[in-house]
Amino acid sequence: RLTWGTVLFREWIGRFISATIVIGYIIVAFLPKKQGLHDLFTDTTVIHTES
């Protein structure tokens, strides 16, 4: 279950990484769950569901 603190930290770290570390996008291609660095730092995963 996500808390507002986790969501805000994930967004902040995600924006920081995308602005400074381009290789972060390449790492996603090689991780099994396709997690970004910000997901690894916050221990989160995006789950896509069909409507």
Side-chain angles (χ1 to χ4, degrees):
R1 188 146 240 208
L2 291 177
T3 64
W4 277 108
T6 302
V7 171
L8 293 174
F9 181 71
R10 180 184 180 275
E11 283 298 312
W12 178 81
I13 198 77
R15 291 174 192 268
F16 176 77
I17 289 171
S18 67
T20 58
I21 307 172
V22 178
I23 197 163
Y25 289 109
I26 297 170
I27 292 171
V28 174
F30 297 101
L31 293 175
K33 292 183 182 178
K34 305 301 183 211
Q35 293 173 294
L37 291 176
H38 56 285
D39 289 318
L40 295 174
F41 286 129
T42 57
D43 194 29
T44 58
T45 303
V46 175
I47 300 173
H48 296 278
T49 60
E50 293 186 32
S51 309

